[in-house]
Amino acid sequence: MDLLKYEKELYEKNIEYIAGVDEVGRGPLVGPVVAACVVLPKNYNLEGLTDSKKLSEKKRDKYYDIIMKDALGVGVGIISPEIIDEVNIYEASKLAMLEAIKNVNCKIEHVLIDAMPLDMEIPSTSIIHGDALSLSIAAASVIAKVTRDKMMYELDKEYPEYGFSKHKGYPTKLHLENIKKYGILDNYRKSYKPVKEILEGVKSE
């Protein structure tokens, strides 16, 4: 499969500065949603790079370093749990992507986005499962995932009893048990059902 298929179609139209955008962290109960925007050099190839979910942590870390070194531009967008609770996760994901695009320090002529359409002035293409079909989006998915995981490791140092380094904030059995045991921290997403139920349970006791 050619992961540069979408990029090549744009190169043929003399469009060279192509950004890939993706976000991670829609499902976790805690922490921000994080998006990344990456502009790779023309016809760039990175053997084995694909959707970050399909890569081991070790490989993601390796690719993260290579992408940060080789990319023409990288931007990251971080939207807090408070804003997620305020506008909902779908809208917060869009905000994170727009922020990531804005934070890129090089020219962008076209944006390839994983799945969701964005309202902006730069021409864009939304690709379903884009992180597995476009190298630019795959690169963005790796940057976003590693960035968010680092935040979870930091949180784990602060609150080791919650096990953030293991579950990265996702609602695993262990995580839910730990919340019931130790309570809800400030940076939890209060609008998410498991968190909401625990908070409401606390109130009604």
Side-chain angles (χ1 to χ4, degrees):
M1 193 173 73
D2 184 7
L3 283 189
L4 283 175
K5 175 180 171 282
Y6 291 94
E7 285 84 345
K8 283 173 181 168
E9 285 169 8
L10 293 165
Y11 294 150
E12 280 169 19
K13 296 172 186 165
N14 290 322
I15 295 165
E16 287 190 22
Y17 292 91
I18 302 160
V21 182
D22 197 12
E23 49 68 40
V24 297
R26 283 210 216 179
L29 306 176
V30 67
V33 60
V34 175
C37 177
V38 176
V39 182
L40 296 172
K42 188 177 178 181
N43 290 317
Y44 182 76
N45 185 32
L46 186 49
E47 202 57 50
L49 176 62
T50 184
D51 167 16
S52 65
K53 293 187 286 294
K54 295 176 183 168
L55 298 168
S56 67
E57 188 166 1
K58 198 177 166 188
K59 278 198 171 152
R60 282 198 300 265
D61 288 342
K62 186 185 119 186
Y63 285 134
Y64 176 92
D65 292 339
I66 297 168
I67 295 160
M68 290 303 280
K69 182 171 70 61
D70 292 351
L72 302 176
V74 175
V76 171
I78 296 166
I79 299 297
S80 70
E82 292 78 20
I83 294 175
I84 294 169
D85 287 339
E86 207 178 296
V87 301
N88 80 42
I89 188 62
Y90 184 75
E91 292 304 323
S93 299
K94 285 195 204 173
L95 291 174
M97 287 180 167
L98 290 168
E99 192 179 289
I101 294 163
K102 196 179 79 198
N103 289 337
V104 172
N105 50 353
C106 79
K107 181 178 170 183
I108 298 175
E109 294 174 293
H110 196 99
V111 182
L112 299 175
I113 311 160
D114 185 39
M116 55 170 67
L118 290 177
D119 188 15
M120 58 182 174
E121 285 176 9
I122 310 166
S124 64
T125 308
S126 290
I127 306 163
I128 303 291
H129 304 307
D131 46 11
L133 299 172
S134 153
L135 198 73
S136 302
I137 298 176
S141 83
V142 166
I143 299 297
K145 174 76 176 139
V146 174
T147 301
R148 193 179 188 285
D149 281 358
K150 281 179 182 171
M151 291 175 178
M152 289 296 109
Y153 285 124
E154 286 306 310
L155 201 59
D156 188 69
K157 281 180 200 165
E158 234 177 303
Y159 304 100
E161 66 275 16
Y162 285 81
F164 294 120
S165 65
K166 292 188 187 78
H167 53 65
K168 310 292 190 295
Y170 284 89
T172 62
K173 190 167 173 276
L174 169 77
H175 188 189
L176 294 172
E177 281 167 7
N178 287 346
I179 302 175
K180 283 171 188 156
K181 205 185 212 171
Y182 303 111
I184 303 290
L185 300 168
D186 280 350
N187 50 0
Y188 271 85
R189 302 173 183 179
K190 316 286 190 295
S191 59
Y192 274 42
K193 200 178 168 195
V195 181
K196 207 174 173 179
E197 281 174 356
I198 290 167
L199 287 171
E200 282 167 3
V202 168
K203 278 175 202 162
S204 62
E205 274 170 18

